[in-house]
Amino acid sequence: MVFMCGASLPSPVIKLLAKHEDDAQALRAAGVRYACDQLVGLAQHGVRGLHVYSMNHPDIAASAADALRAAGFCGSSSCG
């Protein structure tokens, strides 16, 4: 369905969609990991003030904070 809208997607996203197309839970987990990797990459390149829209899913926000914390980009009080 994603491919029917005509949007251009990055190759890594297309690979994730293809790999997990039949497993919604695995796709969600892979998407969260992908987003966390993006956040860490942005922080590594000096982007400050990252904001995560988790659409009322606190587990996603917690995953983002955990990823940034594990990469050394925030202390216990500055993420989450």
Side-chain angles (χ1 to χ4, degrees):
M1 182 154 181
V2 171
F3 302 107
M4 294 172 59
C5 72
S8 175
L9 299 172
S11 177
V13 173
I14 292 171
K15 289 177 183 176
L16 281 176
L17 291 169
K19 181 178 180 179
H20 302 293
E21 65 183 338
D22 295 324
D23 186 345
Q25 287 181 326
L27 179 59
R28 183 182 191 278
V32 171
R33 280 192 306 275
Y34 184 84
C36 289
D37 290 345
Q38 284 187 311
L39 289 167
V40 170
L42 288 167
Q44 288 171 336
H45 286 90
V47 175
R48 297 181 49 134
L50 298 169
H51 186 87
V52 175
Y53 289 92
S54 61
M55 307 303 288
N56 294 324
H57 293 276
D59 58 310
I60 294 173
S63 293
D66 290 345
L68 288 166
R69 197 173 292 114
F73 290 106
C74 56
S76 60
S77 63
S78 61
C79 283

